[in-house]
C-alpha cells in the first residue's frame, strides 16, 4: 500500500494519496464532535460550552505533540525517497525514543499548567470545573495521542495513507460507543467524554503498531535501531521542534481569540463551539493537502527532484481553490442544520453568533488552504524555521484583532481574528516558499558544479 511519490503525474498521484487522508482527518474530527454533540444533547448547553472552551487548549497540547511526531517522520520520508532502507529503520527507532521523552515531559507540563491557563483565558465560572475536568483527563491520556500520531506519520512517510484511515474509523466508532455508554449509562458527564477519547486514540495507536510489525518490514526496526544516533536525533529535533512550536504558536493565537469570545458569555461560547466544530470538519481537506505536501516534498527532496516539487505545489493549489469554494458554499447553506446536531432545544439565541462567525470566515478559505500547502512543502524539504515564523505571523494578527475586539467589546471583530491570521500567514508562507525553492535550486547547482569538477 506504499506509494512512491517520486514517479508518475503529480495530480492523480496527489488525489490518490490525499483522499484517504481527508476521510481520516474527518474521522479524527469526529472524536471531538462526538464528545461535543453527545455532551450537548445529554448533559446540557453549559457542558457543551465547557468542552468547547477547551478546544484551543487541546489544540495547543495535542498540536505540539502532532508537530513533533510529524517532524520526526520527515527524515523517514527523505530516506525512503532516497532508497535507504537501513536509514528508514534507524530513523523510526530513534524517533520512537524521542517520542517517549516528549510524552513524559508534555504530560507533566500540561497537567500542572492547566488550571492557571483556563483562568487566563477568561473561562466563565459556570463552566470552569467541567472544562478543567475534561481537558485534564485528555492531558493525562496524551500517550495514546502521541502513539497514534507517530506511527501514522511513519506510515504516511512511506506513502501509506489508507491503513491509518482504517484504524481511525474503527477508533472513531469506538469513541462514539464509549461516549454513549459512559455519559448516558454511567452518568460520567464531561469526564466520560474525555475517557472515551483517550481510550479510543490509544486503541488506534496500538493497532497501528501491530500492523506495522506484521505487514510493513521497512518500518520495523530491529533492537539495534532503538538507540540515540546523534545525527538523526539532531535532525529530527530540528524538524520536529519548529513544527511543534508552529502548532503551539497557532494554538496560542486561537486561545487569544477564544479569550475574546469568552467575554460574551456561555451562550456565545456554545454557538461559536458548534460553528467552529463544523468548520473544522469541512476544512480537513485543506489539512490533508498539507499532510500530503510534507510526504510528497520529503520523498522528492530526498531524490533531489526540485522541479517535481514545484509541479506538486501547482497541482495542490488547483485542488485547494476548488475545494475551498465548495466548502464555503456548503457550510453557509448547511449551518442551521449542522447546529441542530449539537443542541436538543431551541437554537434561536445561538444562531446569530454562529452565523456571524461562519459568514466572516468562509470568505477567506482560499488563503487558509494555501497556508497548509506552502508550509508543509517547506517542512518536507527540511526547512522548519520559516513555517514556524508563519505561526508567529498568525499569532500576531490574531492578537492585534482580538485586543481591538476586547477593547470595543465587538463580537464581529472577535470572529475576524481567524481571517486576519489566515491572510497574513498566507502572504508570509507564500513568499517564504519562493525563497526556499530558490535556495534549493542554488544548492543543487553547487552540488552539480562540485561533481563536474571532481570528474
Amino acid at each position: 500500500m506504499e506509494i512512491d511519490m517520486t514517479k508518475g503525474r503529480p495530480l492523480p498521484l496527489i488525489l490518490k494519496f490525499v483522499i484517504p487522508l481527508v476521510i481520516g482527518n474527518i474521522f479524527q474530527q469526529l472524536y471531538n464532535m462526538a464528545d461535543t454533540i453527545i455532551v450537548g444533547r445529554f448533559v446540557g448547553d453549559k457542558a457543551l460550552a465547557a468542552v468547547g472552551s477547551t478546544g484551543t487548549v487541546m489544540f495547543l497540547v495535542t498540536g505540539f505533540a502532532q508537530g513533533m511526531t510529524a517532524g520526526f517522520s520527515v527524515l523517514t520520508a527523505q530516506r525512503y525517497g532516497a532508497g535507504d532502507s537501513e536509514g528508514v529503520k534507524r530513523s523510526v527507532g530513534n524517533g520512537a525514543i524521542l517520542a517517549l521523552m516528549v510524552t513524559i515531559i508534555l504530560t507533566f507540563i500540561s497537567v500542572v499548567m492547566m488550571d492557571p491557563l483556563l483562568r487566563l483565558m477568561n473561562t466563565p465560572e459556570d463552566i470552569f470545573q467541567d472544562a478543567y475536568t475534561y481537558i485534564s483527563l485528555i492531558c493525562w491520556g496524551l500517550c495514546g495521542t502521541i502513539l497514534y500520531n507517530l506511527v501514522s506519520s511513519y506510515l504516511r512517510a512511506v506513502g501509506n495513507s489508507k491503513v491509518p484511515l482504517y484504524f481511525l474509523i474503527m477508533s472513531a466508532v469506538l469513541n462514539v460507543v464509549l461516549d454513549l455508554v459512559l455519559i448516558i449509562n454511567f452518568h460520567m458527564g464531561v469526564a466520560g467524554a474525555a475517557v472515551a477519547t483517550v481510550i479510543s486514540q490509544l486503541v488506534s495507536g496500538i493497532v497501528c503498531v501491530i500492523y506495522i510489525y506484521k505487514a510493513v518490514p521497512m518500518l520495523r526496526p530491529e533492537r539495534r535501531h532503538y538507540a540515540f544516533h546523534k545525527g538523526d536525533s539532531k535532525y529530527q529535533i530540528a524538524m520536529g521542534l519548529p513544527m511543534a512550536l508552529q502548532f503551539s504558536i497557532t494554538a496560542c493565537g486561537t486561545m487569544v481569540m477564544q479569550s475574546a469570545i469568552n467575554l460574551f458569555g456561555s451562550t456565545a461560547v456554545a454557538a461559536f463551539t458548534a460553528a467552529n466544530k463544523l468548520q473544522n470538519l469541512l476544512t480537513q481537506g485543506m489539512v490533508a493537502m498539507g499532510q500530503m505536501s510534507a510526504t510528497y516534498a520529503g520523498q522528492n527532496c530526498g531524490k533531489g527532484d526540485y522541479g517535481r516539487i514545484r509541479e506538486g505545489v501547482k497541482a495542490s493549489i488547483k485542488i485547494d481553490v476548488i475545494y475551498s469554494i465548495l466548502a464555503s458554499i456548503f457550510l453557509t447553506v448547511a449551518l442551521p442544520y449542522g447546529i441542530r446536531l449539537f443542541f436538543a432545544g431551541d437554537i434561536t439565541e445561538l444562531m446569530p453568533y454562529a452565523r456571524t462567525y461562519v459568514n466572516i470566515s468562509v470568505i477567506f478559505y482560499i488563503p487558509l488552504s494555501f497556508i497548509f500547502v506552502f508550509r508543509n512543502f517547506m517542512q518536507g524539504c527540511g526547512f522548519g524555521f520559516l513555517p514556524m515564523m508563519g505561526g508567529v505571523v498568525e499569532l500576531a494578527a490574531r492578537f492585534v484583532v482580538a485586543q481591538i475586539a476586547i477593547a470595543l467589546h465587538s463580537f464581529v471583530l472577535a470572529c475576524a481574528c481567524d481571517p486576519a491570521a489566515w491572510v497574513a500567514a498566507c502572504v508570509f508562507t507564500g513568499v517564504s516558499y519562493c525563497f526556499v525553492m530558490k535556495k534549493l535550486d542554488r544548492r543543487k547547482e553547487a552540488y552539480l558544479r562540485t561533481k563536474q569538477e571532481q570528474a
Side-chain angles (χ1 to χ4, degrees), residues 100-291:
L100 178 61
M101 296 174 60
V102 169
T103 302
I104 295 171
I105 296 171
L106 191 58
T107 299
F108 174 77
I109 293 175
S110 61
V111 169
V112 170
M113 295 299 297
M114 200 49 63
D115 183 280
L117 189 56
L118 289 176
R119 296 191 185 280
L120 182 65
M121 290 177 60
N122 304 317
T123 305
E125 284 298 326
D126 58 345
I127 63 174
F128 184 89
Q129 188 54 52
D130 276 348
Y132 178 76
T133 299
Y134 178 80
I135 193 62
S136 294
L137 289 172
I138 293 293
C139 291
W140 279 113
L142 278 174
C143 57
T145 303
I146 293 175
L147 177 63
Y148 173 76
N149 282 323
L150 181 68
V151 292
S152 61
S153 292
Y154 284 145
L155 284 169
R156 285 193 294 268
V158 297
N160 189 333
S161 60
K162 292 183 178 179
V163 168
L165 164 63
Y166 301 149
F167 295 140
L168 192 57
I169 291 174
M170 174 199 71
S171 185
V173 173
L174 176 61
N175 183 50
V176 172
V177 172
L178 289 175
D179 270 335
L180 293 171
V181 171
L182 296 177
I183 292 174
I184 298 175
N185 292 4
F186 289 90
H187 308 288
M188 291 179 63
V190 297
V195 171
T197 296
V198 169
I199 292 175
S200 301
Q201 290 189 332
L202 183 60
V203 168
S204 64
I206 292 173
V207 175
C208 269
V209 171
I210 293 172
Y211 172 80
I212 285 176
Y213 270 82
K214 286 184 174 293
V216 192
M218 178 171 285
L219 294 177
R220 189 171 63 228
E222 299 171 19
R223 181 176 296 181
R224 60 191 172 84
H225 295 120
Y226 287 102
F228 275 115
H229 298 274
K230 184 177 179 181
D232 290 3
S233 297
K234 184 177 179 180
Y235 189 84
Q236 287 178 312
I237 292 173
M239 288 296 99
L241 190 57
M243 291 175 75
L245 290 175
Q246 178 263 310
F247 271 103
S248 296
I249 292 168
T250 301
C252 288
T254 59
M255 287 167 61
V256 170
M257 178 179 177
Q258 183 72 55
S259 299
I261 298 290
N262 287 347
L263 292 176
F264 295 89
S266 56
T267 300
V269 173
F272 169 76
T273 296
N276 189 251
K277 293 293 183 185
L278 293 171
Q279 176 170 273
N280 286 342
L281 191 65
L282 281 176
T283 55
Q284 288 311 300
M286 306 173 193
V287 177
M289 288 299 292
Q291 293 169 321

Side-chain angles (χ1 to χ4, degrees), residues 63-75:
F64 186 92
Q66 184 180 346
M68 288 297 292
T69 53
F72 294 164
S73 68
V74 168
L75 182 61

Side-chain angles (χ1 to χ4, degrees), residues 398-425:
R398 279 196 179 92
F399 180 81
V400 170
V401 177
Q403 293 308 304
I404 297 173
I406 292 171
L408 299 179
H409 200 70
S410 169
F411 185 76
V412 172
L413 281 176
C415 293
C417 290
D418 274 346
W422 299 341
V423 171

Side-chain angles (χ1 to χ4, degrees), residues 387-402:
M388 182 185 72
M389 292 307 297
V392 174
V393 171
E394 282 190 61
L395 172 60
R398 279 196 179 92
F399 180 81
V400 170
V401 177

